[in-house]
Amino acid sequence: MSRSLTARQQNVYDFIVKTMNDLGYPPTRAEISRALGFKSPNAAEEHLRALERKGAIKVIRGTSRGIRLPIQEPEAANEEGLEEPAQGLPIIGEVAAGSPILAAEHIDRYCPLPPEYFTPRADYLLRVRGLSMKDAGILEGDLLAVHRTERIRDGQIVVARLEDEVTVKRFHRQGHVVTLEAENPDFAPIEVDLRHDPLEIEGIGVGVIRGGSGQAL
């Protein structure tokens, strides 16, 4: 850490570490607020930004559990005699409801491709299920390279979380209504009213791997 923490920041940091040790994934802003008695998740967000400025954590924008601890770098793991983490892009299989997409239990294996192989760089590979995007060249069993970002443009292919389901669709927004369109006439579009319905974007598609070769979307 570049600078020492205040007492309250230390409490937030300790809770993050405990949650990750106990559950395997970081807490949400709401969970931090409830645990530490903050009036709103905004207060937790302010502390997270302060912790990030001081080098205590890294925050991944646009995801509710996007908190990373720098102490989990390979050097720290090796000092404790732990196995060095696998290199490459994590391949995400089945995603359990309510848990972060990069939780350890979702990672089938690692693909030995650097993130910079794709533009913009990929953060993970998602195993595609079904044929709803077949007309965009994304087929059952393909690996969709995903870049995590909160900046979504109309018409982009996104990985979206709708309550208990993670789906790949083309993103369109008009006012408070988001339409997630399939690239297959057999599948009806999904409409989400942001005033009432939960929607989380896990990232945008930046490439497809099929048969061991990368193809740009």
Side-chain angles (χ1 to χ4, degrees):
M1 298 180 199
S2 59
R3 287 176 283 176
S4 60
L5 306 181
T6 66
R8 205 57 165 149
Q9 290 166 1
Q10 187 68 52
N11 290 341
V12 174
Y13 178 81
D14 291 343
F15 179 71
I16 292 170
V17 173
K18 183 179 187 303
T19 301
M20 294 181 76
N21 287 339
D22 291 347
L23 303 179
Y25 50 82
T28 64
R29 277 71 167 166
E31 289 167 351
I32 294 172
S33 297
R34 286 194 298 269
L36 299 180
F38 296 147
K39 293 182 178 180
S40 74
N42 288 338
E45 178 68 27
E46 291 176 5
H47 284 293
L48 292 179
R49 291 178 180 177
L51 287 171
E52 185 177 36
R53 287 195 299 269
K54 293 184 176 183
I57 63 172
K58 295 180 181 178
V59 177
I60 301 172
R61 309 298 176 194
T63 177
S64 61
R65 297 185 187 271
I67 302 171
R68 183 183 178 196
L69 298 178
I71 61 171
Q72 293 182 325
E73 297 293 342
E75 294 78 5
N78 291 338
E79 288 174 1
E80 298 174 6
L82 301 178
E83 183 178 347
E84 215 173 287
Q87 299 298 308
L89 291 169
I91 297 175
I92 306 300
E94 197 73 32
V95 178
S99 61
I101 202 164
L102 286 174
E105 63 266 26
H106 301 158
I107 299 175
D108 291 343
R109 58 188 177 87
Y110 287 80
C111 178
L113 274 178
E116 294 79 11
Y117 184 85
F118 303 94
T119 304
R121 56 179 285 142
D123 293 294
Y124 62 92
L125 302 171
L126 180 68
R127 192 176 301 280
V128 176
R129 301 183 184 278
L131 293 172
S132 67
M133 297 298 288
K134 72 179 183 68
D135 290 348
I138 304 174
L139 307 178
E140 173 89 30
D142 287 350
L143 296 177
L144 178 68
V146 183
H147 170 67
R148 305 192 80 176
T149 179
E150 58 186 355
R151 297 180 179 178
I152 310 300
R153 296 195 307 272
D154 208 60
Q156 287 185 309
I157 292 175
V158 301
V159 177
R161 185 190 292 268
L162 299 162
E163 296 183 345
D164 295 343
E165 180 185 2
V166 171
T167 185
V168 178
K169 294 290 185 289
R170 196 173 293 280
F171 179 94
H172 295 284
R173 179 171 181 174
Q174 187 170 8
H176 52 75
V177 175
V178 168
T179 302
L180 300 173
E181 291 189 349
E183 292 283 349
N184 182 336
D186 295 334
F187 291 79
I190 301 169
E191 286 197 352
V192 182
D193 189 330
L194 298 178
R195 296 172 299 179
H196 314 295
D197 304 322
L199 174 66
E200 183 174 348
I201 302 300
E202 298 282 359
I204 59 173
V206 294
V208 174
I209 295 177
R210 183 180 305 120
S213 63
Q215 300 179 357
L217 284 174

